[in-house]
Amino acid sequence: MASSYNFKKITVVPTATELKDVVLSKTQRKTPTVVHKAYSIGRIRAFYSRKIKFLQQTLHDKLTQIITEFPKMEDVHPFYSDLMNILYDKDHYKIALGQMNTARHLVDGIAREYVRLMKYSDSLYRCKMLKRAALGRMVKLLRRQKSSFEYLEQVRQHLSRLPSIDPNTRTLILCGFPNVGKSSFINKVTRADVEVQPYAFTTKSLYVGHLDYKYLRWQVIDTPGILDHPLEQRNTIEMQAVTALAHLKAAVLFIMDVSEQCNQTIEEQISLFEAIRPLFTNKPVFVGLNKVDIMRRSDLPPEKNELLSKLESENIPVIEMSTVSQEGVIGLRDQACDALLAQRVETKLHSKKVAEDGVLNRVFVAYPQPRDEKVRAPFIPSAVVTKKNRMVIEVDDSMRDEKTRKLERDLEKELGDDYILDLKKHFLLKNPEEKYDVVPEIWEGHNIADFVDSEVMEKFRSLKEEEHRREEAGVYDSDEDSDDEEAKELLANAKLIEEKEKEFKMKHELIRGVGKPRQSRLIGRKRERTMDNMEKEFGALGVDVSQNDMKHFEEAQLKQPSTKKMRIGREPSVSAIGKPAPRDIQGVPDLETFDKAAKVGKKAQRPKNQDARKGEGDRHISVKRPKHLFCGKRGIGKADRR
């Protein structure tokens, strides 16, 4: 848990009555409320068990939130722990949180017990009574903890008003008798606005101000005045100051009134300083002599001046200052900040904390000490020296040793663009001429030479010659002659069919390429049904159809009265010139279909929704008053809820 606890984020603690109303209302709203007569007993048990479990879970969550959000004395910084002990009494605070924890466990136990009993209930009435008893017992537990809820809410309100003090940051603490000028000092050096009055105990709690020094953020704490009497006799206001002094790593500024207008003499103020001095252990301490605009230190009697000199002899700086004329205020602030910075840096250097680059602070480097004056030079074997010399590249190639070889980097510089990296030239092989072989001798553990046949091409050539001789001798002709006449005829017919298909495909491609307008099969056939075509077809079938035989048919056709209606547009027939019919008539079989198509076309060209009919895209609320919200109370015997 963070040492600087944010008390302002603690959720408001409700009273026992408020919490009871909240959880019961939530249980009623969030769980089903109607049991129908058709329900089986198992479903009724589950119905009421769900209500018990829901209330238990709601109470459990609420109490857990209260317990976890309040700070534990053991987890917060000792400064906050002691401050809370002074303000609220540590034992009382722990008892209140403990009662919350006990209530949470009891609620869980009650819920488990009644859910177990619910399994043995055999009627709706018994299930309902068990649920009622469980909810009543859990709510009664809350009423018994009424005082704890009220106490914790008061603690929360007071904690939220405490200043946000970071115990680990750079801090200056102001202390001293009441009315010596501590609040005036914090108002001068920070942006705080602490009340200043000419009477004692104006500051009743800790006040925090912030300032910037050397690009760092500092906090200045104004403590209530401390009276010079035993620790057990000090009140709550004074104990806050003692707590701040004891637990914060800070520089202490003990403010004294040199003019004695605070109704305390110099001797009494120094006596107080000596009384609380054990709290200043390992802290930089400074004494500020305030109100020098009224009386200077040089104007003090010798015996009082001697007491201040005694403090200086103990390495405690005594600095004159005045919060009215602001003389010495900034100097005292700067000295205190520098001393605290130096102490914090020294502490970090000697701490055992892990540094950013490892355990640097814990590493001790030992420097060897010579045991005598004898020189013991390092011994390097001659073979190592020789090998090292071989690696040295001489400037002149004529001075190069035979065994000394150039590095690839030097070759690249010499050759420039002509340089080619050759990784095989330094291979150490039994036969140096095998360095550049394409196929290695060993591949994946096998000797490739074992799998290579040097006479394979000769064998392949002999096989081809043998095959050629077999074909000339007619070894393979017997299979072809074995086919009978029927098979040959089938093959010939298949070839004719294939050629015919190719011919049809070519004709179809030619017809498509002409680009004539297409027409329906019905109209096309009507145009083909002419007298000439019929005579040709019947003649091909062997029927003699001459003009004399067809004479009576033509006469009957002329005598028949015309039943044709008035035509629209051109006649759907091919004209003598051969021009195609209009497109709106080409695909229409008769005039009725033509009329229908025209009507559909006109209708399609009209603007959409010309009749202003309501469609599914219309955003229109037809019912202005939904029945279930405005119908009022149900009458007697009515079951229509919606």
Side-chain angles (χ1 to χ4, degrees), residues 38-93:
Y39 282 0
S40 64
I41 187 65
R43 189 167 180 183
I44 294 171
R45 289 173 190 156
F47 177 88
Y48 286 109
S49 297
R50 182 176 174 185
K51 287 185 176 293
I52 297 172
K53 289 177 184 176
F54 188 87
L55 182 71
Q56 175 260 330
Q57 189 62 45
T58 308
L59 280 176
H60 184 91
D61 294 343
K62 291 283 184 184
L63 295 174
T64 303
Q65 185 183 25
I66 293 172
I67 293 167
T68 53
E69 286 190 349
F70 274 91
K72 292 184 175 63
M73 290 286 189
E74 295 79 14
D75 294 339
V76 296
H77 193 273
F79 164 71
Y80 279 123
S81 179
D82 280 11
L83 188 61
M84 291 168 67
N85 186 22
I86 293 165
L87 299 174
Y88 320 119
D89 185 6
K90 179 167 64 176
D91 295 334
H92 194 176
Y93 177 76

Short mmCIF file of all heavy atoms in Angstrom, two decimals, residues 38-93:
data_model
loop_
_atom_site.label_atom_id
_atom_site.label_comp_id
_atom_site.label_asym_id
_atom_site.label_seq_id
_atom_site.Cartn_x
_atom_site.Cartn_y
_atom_site.Cartn_z
N ALA A 38 -48.51 -22.87 -11.28
CA ALA A 38 -48.04 -24.05 -12.03
C ALA A 38 -46.60 -24.42 -11.70
O ALA A 38 -46.10 -25.42 -12.19
CB ALA A 38 -48.19 -23.78 -13.53
N TYR A 39 -45.92 -23.61 -10.89
CA TYR A 39 -44.51 -23.89 -10.59
C TYR A 39 -44.40 -25.16 -9.75
O TYR A 39 -45.17 -25.37 -8.81
CB TYR A 39 -43.88 -22.73 -9.81
CG TYR A 39 -43.52 -21.53 -10.65
CD1 TYR A 39 -43.75 -21.51 -12.02
CD2 TYR A 39 -42.93 -20.41 -10.07
CE1 TYR A 39 -43.43 -20.41 -12.78
CE2 TYR A 39 -42.59 -19.30 -10.81
CZ TYR A 39 -42.85 -19.30 -12.18
OH TYR A 39 -42.52 -18.21 -12.92
N SER A 40 -43.37 -25.95 -10.06
CA SER A 40 -43.07 -27.12 -9.23
C SER A 40 -42.39 -26.66 -7.95
O SER A 40 -41.88 -25.54 -7.84
CB SER A 40 -42.18 -28.09 -10.00
OG SER A 40 -40.94 -27.47 -10.27
N ILE A 41 -42.32 -27.54 -6.96
CA ILE A 41 -41.73 -27.17 -5.67
C ILE A 41 -40.24 -26.87 -5.82
O ILE A 41 -39.69 -26.01 -5.13
CB ILE A 41 -41.99 -28.29 -4.62
CG1 ILE A 41 -41.53 -27.84 -3.23
CG2 ILE A 41 -41.29 -29.58 -5.05
CD1 ILE A 41 -42.30 -26.68 -2.68
N GLY A 42 -39.59 -27.57 -6.76
CA GLY A 42 -38.16 -27.29 -6.99
C GLY A 42 -37.94 -25.89 -7.51
O GLY A 42 -37.00 -25.20 -7.11
N ARG A 43 -38.83 -25.45 -8.39
CA ARG A 43 -38.69 -24.09 -8.93
C ARG A 43 -39.00 -23.03 -7.87
O ARG A 43 -38.38 -21.97 -7.84
CB ARG A 43 -39.63 -23.93 -10.13
CG ARG A 43 -39.41 -22.66 -10.90
CD ARG A 43 -40.13 -22.68 -12.23
NE ARG A 43 -39.91 -21.45 -12.97
CZ ARG A 43 -40.47 -21.18 -14.15
NH1 ARG A 43 -41.27 -22.08 -14.71
NH2 ARG A 43 -40.22 -20.04 -14.77
N ILE A 44 -39.96 -23.35 -6.99
CA ILE A 44 -40.29 -22.40 -5.90
C ILE A 44 -39.11 -22.26 -4.95
O ILE A 44 -38.76 -21.16 -4.51
CB ILE A 44 -41.56 -22.87 -5.17
CG1 ILE A 44 -42.77 -22.81 -6.11
CG2 ILE A 44 -41.82 -22.03 -3.94
CD1 ILE A 44 -44.02 -23.46 -5.56
N ARG A 45 -38.47 -23.40 -4.63
CA ARG A 45 -37.29 -23.34 -3.76
C ARG A 45 -36.19 -22.49 -4.39
O ARG A 45 -35.55 -21.66 -3.73
CB ARG A 45 -36.77 -24.75 -3.50
CG ARG A 45 -37.65 -25.59 -2.60
CD ARG A 45 -37.11 -27.01 -2.57
NE ARG A 45 -38.04 -27.93 -1.91
CZ ARG A 45 -38.07 -29.23 -2.12
NH1 ARG A 45 -37.24 -29.78 -3.01
NH2 ARG A 45 -38.92 -29.99 -1.47
N ALA A 46 -35.94 -22.71 -5.69
CA ALA A 46 -34.89 -21.92 -6.37
C ALA A 46 -35.26 -20.44 -6.40
O ALA A 46 -34.39 -19.57 -6.28
CB ALA A 46 -34.71 -22.45 -7.79
N PHE A 47 -36.57 -20.15 -6.53
CA PHE A 47 -37.04 -18.76 -6.58
C PHE A 47 -36.68 -18.02 -5.29
O PHE A 47 -36.10 -16.93 -5.30
CB PHE A 47 -38.57 -18.79 -6.79
CG PHE A 47 -39.23 -17.44 -6.80
CD1 PHE A 47 -39.34 -16.72 -7.97
CD2 PHE A 47 -39.74 -16.89 -5.63
CE1 PHE A 47 -39.95 -15.48 -7.98
CE2 PHE A 47 -40.35 -15.66 -5.63
CZ PHE A 47 -40.46 -14.94 -6.81
N TYR A 48 -36.99 -18.63 -4.14
CA TYR A 48 -36.73 -17.96 -2.86
C TYR A 48 -35.25 -18.05 -2.46
O TYR A 48 -34.73 -17.16 -1.79
CB TYR A 48 -37.64 -18.53 -1.78
CG TYR A 48 -39.07 -18.06 -1.92
CD1 TYR A 48 -40.08 -18.92 -2.33
CD2 TYR A 48 -39.41 -16.74 -1.67
CE1 TYR A 48 -41.39 -18.49 -2.48
CE2 TYR A 48 -40.71 -16.28 -1.82
CZ TYR A 48 -41.70 -17.16 -2.23
OH TYR A 48 -42.98 -16.71 -2.37
N SER A 49 -34.57 -19.14 -2.86
CA SER A 49 -33.13 -19.22 -2.57
C SER A 49 -32.37 -18.12 -3.29
O SER A 49 -31.40 -17.56 -2.76
CB SER A 49 -32.59 -20.59 -3.01
OG SER A 49 -33.20 -21.62 -2.30
N ARG A 50 -32.84 -17.79 -4.48
CA ARG A 50 -32.16 -16.73 -5.24
C ARG A 50 -32.26 -15.39 -4.52
O ARG A 50 -31.31 -14.62 -4.50
CB ARG A 50 -32.80 -16.63 -6.63
CG ARG A 50 -32.17 -15.61 -7.53
CD ARG A 50 -32.81 -15.64 -8.90
NE ARG A 50 -32.31 -14.57 -9.74
CZ ARG A 50 -32.77 -14.30 -10.97
NH1 ARG A 50 -33.72 -15.06 -11.47
NH2 ARG A 50 -32.28 -13.31 -11.68
N LYS A 51 -33.40 -15.12 -3.89
CA LYS A 51 -33.54 -13.86 -3.15
C LYS A 51 -32.59 -13.81 -1.96
O LYS A 51 -31.96 -12.78 -1.68
CB LYS A 51 -34.99 -13.70 -2.69
CG LYS A 51 -35.97 -13.35 -3.81
CD LYS A 51 -37.34 -13.08 -3.26
CE LYS A 51 -38.29 -12.64 -4.39
NZ LYS A 51 -37.94 -11.34 -4.95
N ILE A 52 -32.48 -14.93 -1.23
CA ILE A 52 -31.58 -14.97 -0.08
C ILE A 52 -30.14 -14.76 -0.52
O ILE A 52 -29.38 -13.97 0.06
CB ILE A 52 -31.74 -16.32 0.66
CG1 ILE A 52 -33.16 -16.46 1.22
CG2 ILE A 52 -30.72 -16.44 1.78
CD1 ILE A 52 -33.47 -17.83 1.79
N LYS A 53 -29.73 -15.46 -1.58
CA LYS A 53 -28.34 -15.34 -2.07
C LYS A 53 -28.06 -13.93 -2.58
O LYS A 53 -26.96 -13.39 -2.38
CB LYS A 53 -28.09 -16.35 -3.19
CG LYS A 53 -28.04 -17.79 -2.71
CD LYS A 53 -27.86 -18.73 -3.90
CE LYS A 53 -27.89 -20.18 -3.47
NZ LYS A 53 -27.82 -21.11 -4.63
N PHE A 54 -29.04 -13.33 -3.23
CA PHE A 54 -28.82 -11.98 -3.79
C PHE A 54 -28.62 -10.97 -2.66
O PHE A 54 -27.72 -10.13 -2.71
CB PHE A 54 -30.01 -11.57 -4.66
CG PHE A 54 -29.79 -10.29 -5.42
CD1 PHE A 54 -29.18 -10.30 -6.66
CD2 PHE A 54 -30.17 -9.06 -4.89
CE1 PHE A 54 -28.96 -9.14 -7.36
CE2 PHE A 54 -29.95 -7.89 -5.57
CZ PHE A 54 -29.34 -7.92 -6.81
N LEU A 55 -29.46 -11.04 -1.61
CA LEU A 55 -29.30 -10.11 -0.49
C LEU A 55 -27.97 -10.34 0.20
O LEU A 55 -27.27 -9.37 0.57
CB LEU A 55 -30.45 -10.31 0.51
CG LEU A 55 -30.42 -9.35 1.70
CD1 LEU A 55 -30.76 -7.94 1.25
CD2 LEU A 55 -31.39 -9.79 2.79
N GLN A 56 -27.59 -11.61 0.35
CA GLN A 56 -26.30 -11.90 1.00
C GLN A 56 -25.14 -11.35 0.19
O GLN A 56 -24.21 -10.73 0.73
CB GLN A 56 -26.15 -13.41 1.16
CG GLN A 56 -24.81 -13.85 1.70
CD GLN A 56 -23.88 -14.34 0.60
OE1 GLN A 56 -24.33 -14.86 -0.42
NE2 GLN A 56 -22.60 -14.14 0.79
N GLN A 57 -25.18 -11.51 -1.14
CA GLN A 57 -24.08 -11.02 -1.99
C GLN A 57 -24.02 -9.49 -1.98
O GLN A 57 -22.93 -8.90 -1.95
CB GLN A 57 -24.27 -11.52 -3.43
CG GLN A 57 -23.09 -11.26 -4.34
CD GLN A 57 -21.83 -11.95 -3.86
OE1 GLN A 57 -21.86 -13.12 -3.49
NE2 GLN A 57 -20.72 -11.23 -3.83
N THR A 58 -25.18 -8.84 -1.99
CA THR A 58 -25.21 -7.37 -1.95
C THR A 58 -24.61 -6.84 -0.67
O THR A 58 -23.77 -5.93 -0.67
CB THR A 58 -26.65 -6.87 -2.11
OG1 THR A 58 -27.24 -7.48 -3.26
CG2 THR A 58 -26.69 -5.37 -2.29
N LEU A 59 -25.02 -7.44 0.48
CA LEU A 59 -24.46 -7.01 1.77
C LEU A 59 -22.97 -7.32 1.85
O LEU A 59 -22.18 -6.52 2.36
CB LEU A 59 -25.20 -7.73 2.91
CG LEU A 59 -26.55 -7.14 3.32
CD1 LEU A 59 -27.19 -8.00 4.38
CD2 LEU A 59 -26.37 -5.73 3.85
N HIS A 60 -22.59 -8.47 1.33
CA HIS A 60 -21.17 -8.85 1.36
C HIS A 60 -20.32 -7.83 0.59
O HIS A 60 -19.25 -7.41 1.06
CB HIS A 60 -21.01 -10.25 0.74
CG HIS A 60 -19.62 -10.78 0.78
ND1 HIS A 60 -19.14 -11.55 1.82
CD2 HIS A 60 -18.57 -10.64 -0.08
CE1 HIS A 60 -17.87 -11.86 1.59
NE2 HIS A 60 -17.51 -11.33 0.45
N ASP A 61 -20.80 -7.42 -0.59
CA ASP A 61 -20.04 -6.45 -1.39
C ASP A 61 -19.96 -5.10 -0.69
O ASP A 61 -18.90 -4.45 -0.68
CB ASP A 61 -20.70 -6.29 -2.76
CG ASP A 61 -20.62 -7.56 -3.59
OD1 ASP A 61 -19.80 -8.43 -3.25
OD2 ASP A 61 -21.38 -7.68 -4.57
N LYS A 62 -21.06 -4.65 -0.08
CA LYS A 62 -21.06 -3.35 0.59
C LYS A 62 -20.11 -3.35 1.77
O LYS A 62 -19.31 -2.41 1.96
CB LYS A 62 -22.49 -3.02 1.07
CG LYS A 62 -23.48 -2.72 -0.04
CD LYS A 62 -23.27 -1.33 -0.59
CE LYS A 62 -24.34 -1.01 -1.64
NZ LYS A 62 -24.11 0.31 -2.25
N LEU A 63 -20.18 -4.40 2.62
CA LEU A 63 -19.31 -4.45 3.79
C LEU A 63 -17.85 -4.63 3.39
O LEU A 63 -16.94 -4.06 4.01
CB LEU A 63 -19.76 -5.60 4.71
CG LEU A 63 -21.15 -5.44 5.32
CD1 LEU A 63 -21.55 -6.69 6.09
CD2 LEU A 63 -21.20 -4.23 6.25
N THR A 64 -17.60 -5.41 2.34
CA THR A 64 -16.21 -5.59 1.87
C THR A 64 -15.64 -4.26 1.38
O THR A 64 -14.47 -3.95 1.62
CB THR A 64 -16.18 -6.63 0.73
OG1 THR A 64 -16.73 -7.84 1.21
CG2 THR A 64 -14.75 -6.87 0.26
N GLN A 65 -16.45 -3.47 0.70
CA GLN A 65 -15.98 -2.16 0.22
C GLN A 65 -15.60 -1.27 1.40
O GLN A 65 -14.56 -0.59 1.38
CB GLN A 65 -17.09 -1.51 -0.61
CG GLN A 65 -16.67 -0.19 -1.24
CD GLN A 65 -17.81 0.46 -2.00
OE1 GLN A 65 -18.98 0.22 -1.71
NE2 GLN A 65 -17.48 1.30 -2.96
N ILE A 66 -16.42 -1.28 2.47
CA ILE A 66 -16.10 -0.45 3.64
C ILE A 66 -14.80 -0.92 4.28
O ILE A 66 -13.92 -0.12 4.62
CB ILE A 66 -17.27 -0.52 4.65
CG1 ILE A 66 -18.52 0.14 4.06
CG2 ILE A 66 -16.89 0.13 5.97
CD1 ILE A 66 -19.77 -0.05 4.89
N ILE A 67 -14.63 -2.24 4.41
CA ILE A 67 -13.46 -2.78 5.11
C ILE A 67 -12.18 -2.51 4.32
O ILE A 67 -11.15 -2.14 4.89
CB ILE A 67 -13.65 -4.29 5.36
CG1 ILE A 67 -14.80 -4.51 6.35
CG2 ILE A 67 -12.38 -4.92 5.89
CD1 ILE A 67 -15.27 -5.95 6.43
N THR A 68 -12.25 -2.69 2.99
CA THR A 68 -11.02 -2.56 2.20
C THR A 68 -10.63 -1.10 1.95
O THR A 68 -9.44 -0.79 1.83
CB THR A 68 -11.20 -3.26 0.84
OG1 THR A 68 -12.39 -2.77 0.21
CG2 THR A 68 -11.30 -4.75 1.03
N GLU A 69 -11.61 -0.20 1.87
CA GLU A 69 -11.27 1.18 1.55
C GLU A 69 -10.69 1.93 2.75
O GLU A 69 -9.89 2.85 2.58
CB GLU A 69 -12.50 1.92 1.01
CG GLU A 69 -12.86 1.52 -0.41
CD GLU A 69 -13.92 2.42 -1.01
OE1 GLU A 69 -14.53 3.21 -0.25
OE2 GLU A 69 -14.14 2.34 -2.23
N PHE A 70 -11.10 1.56 3.97
CA PHE A 70 -10.51 2.22 5.13
C PHE A 70 -9.09 1.70 5.33
O PHE A 70 -8.83 0.51 5.20
CB PHE A 70 -11.36 1.95 6.38
CG PHE A 70 -12.48 2.92 6.55
CD1 PHE A 70 -13.72 2.67 6.01
CD2 PHE A 70 -12.28 4.11 7.24
CE1 PHE A 70 -14.76 3.57 6.14
CE2 PHE A 70 -13.31 5.02 7.38
CZ PHE A 70 -14.55 4.75 6.83
N PRO A 71 -8.16 2.58 5.65
CA PRO A 71 -6.75 2.14 5.78
C PRO A 71 -6.55 1.27 7.02
O PRO A 71 -7.15 1.52 8.07
CB PRO A 71 -5.99 3.47 5.90
CG PRO A 71 -6.99 4.43 6.44
CD PRO A 71 -8.32 4.02 5.91
N LYS A 72 -5.68 0.27 6.87
CA LYS A 72 -5.30 -0.55 8.02
C LYS A 72 -4.10 0.09 8.71
O LYS A 72 -3.17 0.57 8.05
CB LYS A 72 -4.95 -1.96 7.56
CG LYS A 72 -6.15 -2.75 7.03
CD LYS A 72 -5.75 -4.17 6.69
CE LYS A 72 -6.96 -4.98 6.28
NZ LYS A 72 -7.61 -4.49 5.07
N MET A 73 -4.11 0.08 10.02
CA MET A 73 -3.04 0.71 10.79
C MET A 73 -1.68 0.12 10.44
O MET A 73 -0.66 0.81 10.44
CB MET A 73 -3.31 0.54 12.29
CG MET A 73 -4.49 1.34 12.79
SD MET A 73 -4.08 3.07 12.92
CE MET A 73 -5.52 3.70 13.79
N GLU A 74 -1.66 -1.20 10.14
CA GLU A 74 -0.37 -1.86 9.90
C GLU A 74 0.17 -1.56 8.51
O GLU A 74 1.37 -1.71 8.26
CB GLU A 74 -0.52 -3.39 10.05
CG GLU A 74 -0.88 -3.85 11.45
CD GLU A 74 -2.36 -3.65 11.75
OE1 GLU A 74 -3.14 -3.40 10.81
OE2 GLU A 74 -2.73 -3.72 12.95
N ASP A 75 -0.70 -1.16 7.58
CA ASP A 75 -0.27 -0.98 6.20
C ASP A 75 0.16 0.45 5.87
O ASP A 75 0.93 0.66 4.93
CB ASP A 75 -1.40 -1.38 5.24
CG ASP A 75 -1.70 -2.87 5.33
OD1 ASP A 75 -0.80 -3.60 5.79
OD2 ASP A 75 -2.80 -3.28 4.95
N VAL A 76 -0.37 1.44 6.60
CA VAL A 76 -0.05 2.83 6.27
C VAL A 76 1.28 3.22 6.91
O VAL A 76 1.84 2.51 7.75
CB VAL A 76 -1.18 3.78 6.71
CG1 VAL A 76 -2.45 3.48 5.97
CG2 VAL A 76 -1.40 3.69 8.21
N HIS A 77 1.78 4.37 6.53
CA HIS A 77 3.03 4.89 7.07
C HIS A 77 2.88 5.14 8.58
O HIS A 77 1.79 5.51 9.05
CB HIS A 77 3.37 6.20 6.35
CG HIS A 77 4.77 6.67 6.58
ND1 HIS A 77 5.11 7.46 7.66
CD2 HIS A 77 5.91 6.47 5.88
CE1 HIS A 77 6.40 7.73 7.61
NE2 HIS A 77 6.90 7.14 6.54
N PRO A 78 3.96 4.93 9.36
CA PRO A 78 3.86 5.16 10.82
C PRO A 78 3.36 6.55 11.18
O PRO A 78 2.70 6.73 12.21
CB PRO A 78 5.29 4.95 11.30
CG PRO A 78 5.90 4.04 10.31
CD PRO A 78 5.26 4.36 9.00
N PHE A 79 3.65 7.55 10.33
CA PHE A 79 3.15 8.91 10.60
C PHE A 79 1.62 8.93 10.60
O PHE A 79 0.98 9.41 11.54
CB PHE A 79 3.69 9.87 9.54
CG PHE A 79 2.96 11.18 9.49
CD1 PHE A 79 3.11 12.11 10.51
CD2 PHE A 79 2.11 11.49 8.44
CE1 PHE A 79 2.42 13.32 10.47
CE2 PHE A 79 1.43 12.68 8.39
CZ PHE A 79 1.59 13.60 9.42
N TYR A 80 1.03 8.33 9.55
CA TYR A 80 -0.43 8.28 9.49
C TYR A 80 -0.99 7.38 10.58
O TYR A 80 -2.06 7.66 11.15
CB TYR A 80 -0.88 7.77 8.12
CG TYR A 80 -0.89 8.82 7.04
CD1 TYR A 80 -0.17 8.66 5.87
CD2 TYR A 80 -1.63 9.97 7.20
CE1 TYR A 80 -0.17 9.63 4.88
CE2 TYR A 80 -1.65 10.95 6.22
CZ TYR A 80 -0.92 10.77 5.07
OH TYR A 80 -0.93 11.72 4.09
N SER A 81 -0.30 6.30 10.88
CA SER A 81 -0.78 5.38 11.91
C SER A 81 -0.88 6.07 13.26
O SER A 81 -1.90 5.98 13.96
CB SER A 81 0.15 4.17 11.98
OG SER A 81 -0.27 3.27 12.97
N ASP A 82 0.17 6.79 13.66
CA ASP A 82 0.14 7.49 14.94
C ASP A 82 -0.84 8.65 14.92
O ASP A 82 -1.50 8.94 15.93
CB ASP A 82 1.54 8.00 15.29
CG ASP A 82 2.41 6.90 15.86
OD1 ASP A 82 1.97 5.75 15.79
OD2 ASP A 82 3.51 7.20 16.37
N LEU A 83 -0.93 9.34 13.78
CA LEU A 83 -1.88 10.45 13.69
C LEU A 83 -3.31 9.96 13.86
O LEU A 83 -4.12 10.58 14.58
CB LEU A 83 -1.71 11.14 12.33
CG LEU A 83 -2.48 12.45 12.13
CD1 LEU A 83 -2.03 13.49 13.13
CD2 LEU A 83 -2.27 12.97 10.71
N MET A 84 -3.64 8.82 13.25
CA MET A 84 -4.98 8.27 13.41
C MET A 84 -5.21 7.78 14.83
O MET A 84 -6.32 7.86 15.37
CB MET A 84 -5.19 7.12 12.41
CG MET A 84 -5.26 7.57 10.96
SD MET A 84 -5.15 6.22 9.79
CE MET A 84 -6.68 5.39 10.13
N ASN A 85 -4.17 7.28 15.46
CA ASN A 85 -4.29 6.84 16.85
C ASN A 85 -4.60 8.03 17.76
O ASN A 85 -5.40 7.93 18.69
CB ASN A 85 -3.00 6.15 17.28
CG ASN A 85 -3.13 5.54 18.67
OD1 ASN A 85 -4.24 5.28 19.13
ND2 ASN A 85 -2.02 5.34 19.32
N ILE A 86 -3.98 9.18 17.47
CA ILE A 86 -4.23 10.38 18.27
C ILE A 86 -5.65 10.88 18.05
O ILE A 86 -6.37 11.22 18.99
CB ILE A 86 -3.22 11.48 17.90
CG1 ILE A 86 -1.81 11.07 18.33
CG2 ILE A 86 -3.59 12.81 18.53
CD1 ILE A 86 -0.73 11.90 17.69
N LEU A 87 -6.07 10.92 16.79
CA LEU A 87 -7.35 11.55 16.47
C LEU A 87 -8.55 10.66 16.77
O LEU A 87 -9.59 11.14 17.20
CB LEU A 87 -7.37 11.95 14.99
CG LEU A 87 -6.31 12.96 14.55
CD1 LEU A 87 -6.34 13.14 13.06
CD2 LEU A 87 -6.53 14.29 15.24
N TYR A 88 -8.42 9.34 16.55
CA TYR A 88 -9.61 8.49 16.62
C TYR A 88 -9.50 7.36 17.62
O TYR A 88 -10.45 6.60 17.78
CB TYR A 88 -9.91 7.86 15.25
CG TYR A 88 -9.71 8.79 14.09
CD1 TYR A 88 -8.80 8.50 13.10
CD2 TYR A 88 -10.43 9.97 14.00
CE1 TYR A 88 -8.59 9.36 12.04
CE2 TYR A 88 -10.24 10.83 12.94
CZ TYR A 88 -9.32 10.52 11.97
OH TYR A 88 -9.11 11.37 10.93
N ASP A 89 -8.37 7.16 18.26
CA ASP A 89 -8.14 6.03 19.16
C ASP A 89 -8.05 4.74 18.35
O ASP A 89 -9.04 4.23 17.83
CB ASP A 89 -9.23 5.92 20.23
CG ASP A 89 -8.90 4.81 21.22
OD1 ASP A 89 -7.80 4.25 21.12
OD2 ASP A 89 -9.73 4.54 22.09
N LYS A 90 -6.84 4.22 18.25
CA LYS A 90 -6.56 3.05 17.41
C LYS A 90 -7.46 1.86 17.78
O LYS A 90 -7.96 1.16 16.90
CB LYS A 90 -5.09 2.68 17.55
CG LYS A 90 -4.66 1.47 16.76
CD LYS A 90 -3.15 1.35 16.70
CE LYS A 90 -2.57 1.12 18.08
NZ LYS A 90 -1.12 0.90 18.02
N ASP A 91 -7.68 1.62 19.06
CA ASP A 91 -8.48 0.46 19.48
C ASP A 91 -9.93 0.60 19.03
O ASP A 91 -10.54 -0.37 18.54
CB ASP A 91 -8.41 0.31 21.00
CG ASP A 91 -7.00 -0.01 21.47
OD1 ASP A 91 -6.25 -0.58 20.66
OD2 ASP A 91 -6.65 0.33 22.60
N HIS A 92 -10.49 1.78 19.21
CA HIS A 92 -11.88 2.00 18.80
C HIS A 92 -12.03 1.81 17.29
O HIS A 92 -13.00 1.20 16.80
CB HIS A 92 -12.32 3.40 19.22
CG HIS A 92 -13.80 3.61 19.13
ND1 HIS A 92 -14.41 4.77 19.54
CD2 HIS A 92 -14.80 2.80 18.68
CE1 HIS A 92 -15.72 4.66 19.33
NE2 HIS A 92 -15.97 3.48 18.81
N TYR A 93 -11.07 2.32 16.54
CA TYR A 93 -11.09 2.22 15.07
C TYR A 93 -11.02 0.76 14.63
O TYR A 93 -11.78 0.30 13.77
CB TYR A 93 -9.92 3.02 14.51
CG TYR A 93 -9.74 2.97 13.02
CD1 TYR A 93 -10.56 3.67 12.17
CD2 TYR A 93 -8.73 2.19 12.46
CE1 TYR A 93 -10.38 3.62 10.80
CE2 TYR A 93 -8.54 2.13 11.10
CZ TYR A 93 -9.37 2.85 10.27
OH TYR A 93 -9.18 2.79 8.92
#
